[in-house]
Amino acid sequence: MDLVKLPSSISFGTTTFDLADSYLQMFQEVQQTLEQSNLKYKADVDKHRKHQVFKVGDQVMIYLEKKGCQRDIMAS
């Protein structure tokens, strides 16, 4: 994981707006870095996935979680 360099020092003469802008820029850099690393992880995992196409009439097994079923029943 790449790390974003934090500002080494903040002078006392900087305005609040400059400080807010620098933190906003740092936050955006961190967000971009996380998005890029997530895309890399997804690409690595997708290499091992098998794309399956089902046809009408194929028998498949599904797994329903209890939480999801109860919520769907209550919403009906």
Side-chain angles (χ1 to χ4, degrees):
M1 174 187 255
D2 295 334
L3 298 176
V4 176
K5 294 181 182 177
L6 296 174
S8 59
S9 64
I10 299 172
S11 64
F12 292 106
T14 53
T15 64
T16 306
F17 293 112
D18 292 338
L19 185 62
D21 287 339
S22 68
Y23 280 115
L24 180 63
Q25 181 182 3
M26 181 180 57
F27 176 76
Q28 290 171 346
E29 289 175 6
V30 168
Q31 188 174 13
Q32 288 173 355
T33 303
L34 287 174
E35 287 174 0
Q36 289 172 354
S37 63
N38 285 341
L39 288 174
K40 181 184 174 291
Y41 293 141
K42 182 180 180 337
D44 289 342
V45 169
D46 286 345
K47 287 179 188 176
H48 304 289
R49 285 210 173 132
K50 232 193 317 185
H51 181 70
Q52 295 183 352
V53 178
F54 298 104
K55 298 176 186 170
V56 175
D58 286 348
Q59 292 185 357
V60 297
M61 182 182 290
I62 61 170
Y63 175 77
L64 299 174
E65 294 182 14
K66 291 181 181 180
K67 291 186 280 186
C69 293
Q70 290 174 352
R71 185 174 42 236
D72 292 340
I73 292 171
M74 296 173 111
S76 302

